[in-house]
Amino acid sequence: MPEHATVVIGSAGRRLYLVDWFREAFTALGLDGRVVVTENDPTSSAASYGDIARYLPRYTDPAYGPALLDVVEELRPLLYVSVNDYELMHLHVHTDLAQQLRGRGVLVPGVSPEWQRGCADKLQMARLLDKIGVPTPLTLLGGNRDGIADLARRVDEVVVKHRFGSGSSGLALVPTHAVRGAVDDAVRTAPVARGRAPTADDVVVQPRLTGVEHGVDIVGDLHTPGELSAVLARSKLRMRAGETDKAVTVDPGPFHRNAALIARAAGLTGLIDVDMFLDAAGEASVIDINPRFGGGYPFVHLAGADVPLFYLARAFGLEAGEAWRDYGLGVLSAKYESVRVTVGSERNLPDGLPVKHRR
């Protein structure tokens, strides 16, 4: 056991509650623990909120990898958790940094590189889900005019969104006669690889599903890839800026089959956030996967679940018990806004940050 039990949360951004909940988990387990927050922006809400702050270059900077490994060498964490989609792609797909961290004894929750790519590419995700028998809506590229025309003859409404987007970017729900205009609008803001212009194939079109949208956390064991440890679910009541804003906890039973299939196929370790529609017949269809703590996790945590405690127990060789996966049903929660000082005075502002004075 290290002198200090250390966990690193990468790119925590606005998720200060995660820092708090890992601290509470350390206390519950009787560990002398510390939460390290790594950020590129020293003025972000979470940058100065951890017990220790380390500022890293952007993940696209060649200096990012060596800087991250330096933090690991200095602080010797046993767990590294990133909550940023693009950082996760860099760790698991574009580099071997996740494997380098694991080689240094650090647990890095996530999915296989193939599934990480699928989580970032909605067309590839649909193909992966189809392959393992998990229901998912037909997914067409925005440039597939014949396929979209055929779909328009069979459904009244469609969903248009960015193929490589995050946080519901480019999302539009439109009648089928308006799909071409919606695709054109989405193309204008579609994220693409640097150096090329977006096209209609950077947008996807799907039939709008019937039923109720749910957020489901699929939790895998940290040491045994693919082994399902828990399924946590809530019904979405209101969305805001691409995240669940109000939700009520529900029975996870209808989502277990899909969860087990995804966990096994993806080689899952840790938590992934999955959006599913549950129809009147009780069939659940997957529409999106975020391979990290998502914006919906707080709703099950406040109802009694405790994934940070599970993470720390598994990382530090302690008994997690069974209670961490239990949560009350019918618990309705809503998010609210707060604000905190991140830099105490003008003289402490990072170099280059513009400051405007009132006259």
Side-chain angles (χ1 to χ4, degrees):
M1 180 76 67
E3 180 182 355
H4 297 284
T6 303
V7 58
V8 177
I9 301 179
S11 301
R14 296 162 59 91
R15 301 180 197 274
L16 275 61
Y17 52 79
L18 269 184
V19 177
D20 287 333
W21 292 340
F22 272 100
R23 284 181 177 137
E24 291 171 8
F26 275 130
T27 300
L29 292 169
L31 293 173
D32 178 15
R34 56 188 184 179
V35 181
V36 179
V37 173
T38 58
E39 280 284 355
N40 165 250
D41 177 6
T43 67
S44 76
S45 297
S48 59
Y49 195 67
D51 301 308
I52 298 174
R54 289 292 182 269
Y55 306 120
L56 301 181
R58 284 183 59 82
Y59 64 89
T60 52
D61 190 319
Y64 167 87
L68 177 59
L69 295 176
D70 285 346
V71 169
V72 169
E73 182 66 26
E74 174 197 359
L75 300 175
R76 301 300 177 95
L78 290 188
L79 180 64
Y80 178 83
V81 179
S82 174
V83 290
N84 180 281
D85 291 329
Y86 301 109
E87 185 174 46
L88 286 166
M89 279 292 290
H90 189 74
L91 289 166
H92 292 276
V93 176
H94 298 150
T95 70
D96 66 346
L97 276 170
Q99 286 304 108
Q100 289 192 57
L101 292 175
R102 290 166 181 151
R104 287 164 168 79
V106 183
L107 289 170
V108 184
V111 294
S112 70
E114 179 187 28
W115 277 76
Q116 182 69 49
R117 284 190 291 268
C119 292
D121 179 346
K122 292 176 175 56
L123 179 65
Q124 178 65 11
M125 182 184 69
R127 290 170 174 169
L128 289 171
L129 293 169
D130 279 335
K131 185 177 179 181
I132 63 173
V134 170
T136 190
L138 173 68
T139 301
L140 302 170
L141 294 180
N144 184 353
R145 291 179 175 270
D146 290 341
I148 292 173
D150 180 64
L151 177 64
R153 288 189 285 269
R154 294 183 282 116
V155 302
D156 295 324
E157 289 185 296
V158 296
V159 177
V160 176
K161 53 189 174 182
H162 291 152
R163 177 180 175 181
F164 302 102
S166 177
S168 300
S169 69
L171 180 66
L173 306 176
V174 297
T176 51
H177 67 78
V179 64
R180 183 49 47 194
V183 168
D184 291 342
D185 288 343
V187 167
R188 295 187 184 98
T189 56
V192 296
R194 185 174 298 177
R196 75 173 180 86
T199 72
D201 284 348
D202 295 307
V203 174
V204 294
V205 178
Q206 300 170 326
R208 183 175 185 178
L209 297 180
T210 60
V212 178
E213 186 174 358
H214 291 74
V216 181
D217 292 320
I218 304 175
V219 187
D221 184 67
L222 290 183
H223 294 285
T224 308
E227 181 178 303
L228 183 64
S229 295
V231 182
L232 318 169
R234 58 263 167 198
S235 175
K236 299 184 179 186
L237 302 180
R238 185 174 65 200
M239 300 293 292
R240 182 180 182 188
E243 279 197 354
T244 310
D245 191 53
K246 183 186 292 185
V248 59
T249 53
V250 298
D251 178 8
F255 311 104
H256 264 278
R257 175 186 176 275
N258 287 349
L261 290 171
I262 292 170
R264 184 164 58 249
L268 174 64
T269 57
L271 178 150
I272 58 175
D273 171 46
V274 182
D275 292 331
M276 302 194 207
F277 266 83
L278 188 65
D279 67 18
E283 180 176 65
S285 298
V286 173
I287 61 169
D288 201 9
I289 301 177
N290 301 297
R292 52 172 169 76
F293 279 96
Y297 172 71
F299 298 99
V300 291
H301 190 96
L302 293 176
D306 198 339
V307 174
L309 186 142
F310 171 67
Y311 271 24
L312 294 182
R314 295 298 287 145
F316 293 95
L318 302 173
E319 178 56 50
E322 301 294 328
W324 71 269
R325 74 188 78 190
D326 296 333
Y327 62 94
L329 305 183
V331 178
L332 194 156
S333 304
K335 292 182 179 177
Y336 63 95
E337 291 188 0
S338 187
V339 64
R340 68 181 296 267
V341 173
T342 59
V343 179
S345 66
E346 181 179 327
R347 64 176 176 271
N348 294 323
L349 286 171
D351 292 341
L353 192 72
V355 179
K356 294 182 178 179
H357 297 276
R358 290 184 63 183
R359 298 293 185 186

